[in-house]
Amino acid sequence: MTCNFLFFIVDQLCATHLGCYGNSIEATPVIDGLAAGGWRAQECHVATPICMPNRASLLTGRMPSVHGVRHNGIPLSLGAVTIADLLREAGYATSLIGKSHLQNMTAKPPLHAQDAHRPKREAQRPYPGNYQQECQKTWEASPSFEMELPFYGFDHVQLAIGHGDASDGHYRRWLQAEHPEFADKVGKQHSLPAPGYELVKHGQAWRSAIPQELHPTAWIADQTIAQLREAQRRQRPFFLYSSFADPHHPYTPPGRYWDLYRPEDMALPSSFHADTPPPHLAWLRAQRDAGRAVKNTMACYAATEREVREAMALGLGSLSFIDAQIGRVLAVLRELGLDKDTVVVFTSDHGEFAGDHQLLFKGSLHYQSLTRTPFIWRDPQWAAHGGRTDRSLLSTIDIAPTLLERAGIERFNGMQGRSFLPAICGEAQRQRDALLIEEEGQRTYFGFDQPVRMRTLLTHRHRLSVYDGVSWGELYDRLEDPDEARNLWDEPSYRTVREALRARLSSEMLAHTETSPAATALA
C-alpha cells in the first residue's frame, strides 16, 4: 500500500525531555500522544552528534566518514543520492520546510585559508552546483534569490536559516512582506526585558518581541499545513520533511512560553554531582572554576547550577511551543483525511547535555544525553498495535532504509543502515549488538592540542570512546552505571573487556567503509 510520510525533526533535543521518555513534566502532550499511538525506539543513537553530518546521514543512510560531511562546515555533495531523490523518482511530491543545514549557513572561508601550514588544494573537486544556497549572506545580498530545485531531492523548499526568532531565508522574506512592523524587531537587540537570567547575559537566550503566531516555529507549522492542503489537491503520495530549528540555543520561546516553566522548578540531572570526570571534562570544569569559561558561542561549556536550570526551563518552553505547533499540523492532517494513509515520524538531529555532567549544549563527550535521540513512528497500517516500545540499538543511518522499505523502494548501493521496519511491524529481526558513532570536530579545545577526532562503540552493556592523539579513553558499564559517572578505562579488572571492545570497534569501522561505486565484474 502506497503511503505518505510526514516527518517531523527538531534540533538538539534530549530524549528524556519528552514525557514518553520519562519526563515527569507534562510539556509535550501531542508528541507523547504520537508515541502512545505508535512505535517508540528506546535506544536510537546518532551517527555523529553534530548537526550537518548527522542530518546528511539521516537523508543518505551513510556514515559521515563516507558521505563526506565529517563535521559542520562541509556541505553535502550535490552529487549525493538522498531518500528524497528516490522518493521523488518514485512519484512522491517532496517538500522540505524549515531548517535544512545540508550546506553552510555562513560564508566563512575554509580552515586552510586561515592557516599557512595547511595545503590549499583538496583531494577532490566539488560536484558542480551552488553550495551557497543556505548561506545567510546569499539571501541578504539578493532579495529575489531562490533555491535551485530539486534541492537534494526536494521539489519544494521553504527555508528557515538559523535559530531562535532571528531566522533568515524564506521566513525572513515572508515576515518582511507580510508583517513589516515586526521585521525589524527580531533578535537580541530588540528583545524584551528579562531580568535575572544569566543566559541572557551570555547571548544564549532572549525574550522575543515577536508574537507567537509570527515566530519561525509557527511559520514552519503554517508552511507544513499549506503543503498538506496542496497534497490533498494534487492526489500524489508525499514526503513532507518538517524541520524545526528549535529548541536549540539561543533560546527564544515566544509569548507565554518564555516563562511557562520556572528555572527554580527544574531538577538537576542525576549526573550533575555524581561523577569523576575524564580529562577533557575536568578541563572544562577547571576553565569555569577559574572564570575562563567561554559562554557566548555555540560550543559547550561547564555551567553553573543556575545556568543549567535556565537552559532546562527555556528549552522546555521552546519544546512545548513546538509541541503545540505539531498539534496544529496533525489536526489538519486529520481534517483532510490524510491521516489514514500517512506515516508520521518524530525525531531530532541529536541530543544536548542540558546539565548532564554540568554541561550545556553539545560537544565531544558522547554521553547518552547527546547521542540518544527520540524516535517515534506512527503508522496507520499498524494502528491497532500502537504504544509499543523497542529497545533495539538503532542508528540514524537506519532511518533512510526503513522509510524506503515502507515505501516499497529499493535502497541504493552504499547505503549502510539497516531497516528496522520488521520491528515496527512486530516481527522478529536480527538486532544490532553494537553501533558506531563518529565525531570529528572543528575547534581546538577541551585541553587538546588539535581538533577532536574520536570514535565510540556502543553496545547494550558498554560505551567505549577513543580519541586521536591521547593514550586515555572512556569505558562505561551502561547497566551498572547509567549516568556514565565512573570511567573504567584504567580499571585492571576491565582490561579484557576494554580490549575486546576496542577490537569490535575496529571491526565496526571496517564494516562501515565505502562500497560505492561498485567495481566492474571480474572476468
Side-chain angles (χ1 to χ4, degrees):
M1 180 181 75
T2 301
C3 65
N4 308 308
F5 296 101
L6 174 55
F7 195 106
F8 293 112
I9 180 170
V10 299
D11 198 326
Q12 195 168 293
L13 174 64
C14 187
T16 54
H17 287 185
L18 298 173
C20 56
Y21 283 89
N23 192 352
S24 60
I25 301 174
E26 298 180 358
T28 53
V30 174
I31 298 168
D32 296 342
L34 275 179
W39 179 91
R40 174 166 52 91
Q42 274 290 90
E43 289 278 0
C44 185
H45 291 262
V46 296
T48 181
I50 304 174
C51 189
M52 286 181 72
N54 205 56
R55 286 172 179 266
S57 288
L58 191 159
L59 289 173
T60 63
R62 288 156 60 80
M63 294 297 289
S65 58
V66 176
H67 61 56
V69 188
R70 303 187 311 278
H71 48 65
N72 284 349
I74 303 174
L76 181 64
S77 171
L78 286 165
V81 178
T82 70
I83 53 172
D85 283 311
L86 298 188
L87 289 164
R88 177 175 174 269
E89 291 170 8
Y92 277 73
T94 54
S95 301
L96 187 162
I97 307 296
K99 181 174 181 178
S100 166
H101 214 186
L102 299 174
Q103 296 186 354
N104 299 337
M105 295 188 295
T106 70
K108 293 180 179 179
L111 286 172
H112 60 57
Q114 306 167 32
D115 187 345
H117 301 290
R118 292 177 184 264
K120 302 301 186 289
R121 292 291 298 271
E122 298 288 359
Q124 300 181 49
R125 297 180 179 89
Y127 188 89
N130 184 358
Y131 290 92
Q132 300 297 312
Q133 298 185 68
E134 294 187 50
C135 178
Q136 289 176 309
K137 289 190 179 297
T138 299
W139 291 80
E140 292 169 1
S142 175
S144 61
F145 173 77
E146 279 299 343
M147 314 284 289
E148 296 178 9
L149 302 177
F151 182 72
Y152 296 102
F154 290 103
D155 272 326
H156 177 83
V157 179
Q158 287 289 298
L159 208 60
I161 305 170
H163 304 287
D165 70 355
S167 290
D168 212 314
H170 288 110
Y171 164 74
R172 181 65 63 83
R173 188 177 292 172
W174 166 83
L175 190 65
Q176 291 169 337
E178 301 296 328
H179 302 278
E181 69 277 17
F182 288 105
D184 294 327
K185 293 185 178 180
V186 301
K188 181 183 177 183
Q189 64 273 31
H190 302 293
S191 60
L192 303 175
Y197 278 84
E198 292 297 313
L199 292 183
V200 171
K201 297 177 185 177
H202 308 325
Q204 299 291 7
W206 59 81
R207 189 162 193 168
S208 178
I210 302 297
Q212 291 174 197
E213 64 273 15
L214 303 185
H215 192 275
T217 294
W219 177 83
I220 290 167
D222 291 341
Q223 296 300 313
T224 302
I225 288 169
Q227 282 305 295
L228 288 177
R229 297 193 186 282
E230 178 65 17
Q232 186 196 44
R233 185 191 65 79
R234 64 182 164 231
Q235 299 278 303
R236 284 173 59 197
F238 61 83
F239 175 53
L240 178 46
Y241 186 82
S242 182
S243 177
F244 295 93
D246 287 342
H248 196 291
H249 61 293
Y251 306 109
T252 68
R256 73 180 186 90
Y257 292 94
W258 172 266
D259 50 11
L260 185 61
Y261 307 100
R262 300 193 318 155
E264 296 79 12
D265 296 334
M266 298 295 105
L268 293 173
S270 57
S271 66
F272 196 88
H273 292 300
D275 66 351
T276 302
H280 50 335
L281 176 53
W283 181 88
L284 281 176
R285 292 183 182 175
Q287 293 294 105
R288 175 198 60 198
D289 297 342
R292 294 194 297 267
V294 178
K295 300 183 176 183
N296 62 349
T297 71
M298 286 288 171
C300 75
Y301 65 88
T304 66
E305 288 191 16
R306 173 65 192 186
E307 290 163 346
V308 167
R309 294 181 198 275
E310 288 179 9
M312 295 176 71
L314 294 173
L316 275 182
S318 295
L319 181 57
S320 286
F321 186 43
I322 291 170
D323 188 76
Q325 301 311 307
I326 290 177
R328 292 177 53 223
V329 175
L330 293 180
V332 173
L333 187 76
R334 291 189 297 271
E335 170 197 319
L336 299 175
L338 295 172
D339 58 317
K340 298 178 180 61
D341 52 9
T342 298
V343 173
V344 180
V345 177
F346 177 87
T347 191
S348 64
D349 63 346
H350 51 73
E352 68 167 330
F353 294 126
D356 194 23
H357 300 269
Q358 302 181 22
L359 296 168
L360 282 186
F361 312 143
K362 58 183 182 284
S364 303
L365 294 114
H366 287 178
Y367 294 118
Q368 67 170 348
S369 55
L370 184 63
T371 70
R372 180 180 173 226
T373 60
F375 188 87
I376 298 166
W377 176 291
R378 191 186 73 182
D379 196 317
Q381 186 164 326
W382 298 292
H385 305 291
R388 290 184 296 115
T389 299
D390 191 283
R391 297 187 178 277
S392 306
L393 285 175
L394 304 178
S395 170
T396 297
I397 61 173
D398 298 332
I399 296 172
T402 304
L403 290 167
L404 291 179
E405 183 177 1
R406 181 65 177 87
I409 298 172
E410 184 179 2
R411 57 192 285 156
F412 55 77
N413 177 42
M415 184 173 281
Q416 298 172 309
R418 305 177 185 177
S419 170
F420 49 86
L421 192 66
I424 295 172
C425 302
E427 301 172 5
Q429 68 168 358
R430 186 171 67 85
Q431 298 181 354
R432 289 181 181 274
D433 59 359
L435 60 81
L436 173 67
I437 301 174
E438 301 179 343
E439 179 158 354
E440 302 208 11
Q442 294 170 279
R443 296 179 175 90
T444 300
Y445 69 145
F446 284 130
F448 289 94
D449 59 4
Q450 62 183 4
V452 175
R453 302 182 72 196
M454 65 182 295
R455 297 293 186 268
T456 284
L457 181 80
L458 198 69
T459 72
H460 284 288
R461 183 67 186 261
H462 296 103
R463 192 256 285 183
L464 177 93
S465 295
V466 298
Y467 298 80
D468 184 28
V470 299
S471 59
W472 52 268
E474 294 178 86
L475 171 61
Y476 302 97
D477 187 322
R478 301 177 66 219
L479 297 184
E480 298 293 331
D481 178 23
D483 283 337
E484 300 172 294
R486 182 186 173 202
N487 186 6
L488 303 170
W489 182 269
D490 289 324
E491 291 281 344
S493 61
Y494 278 83
R495 187 172 299 154
T496 300
V497 172
R498 184 188 70 191
E499 294 311 308
L501 291 170
R502 282 168 64 147
R504 181 60 190 274
L505 174 60
S506 298
S507 297
E508 287 297 312
M509 291 172 65
L510 181 60
H512 288 85
T513 53
E514 180 66 280
T515 61
S516 177
T520 55
L522 295 173

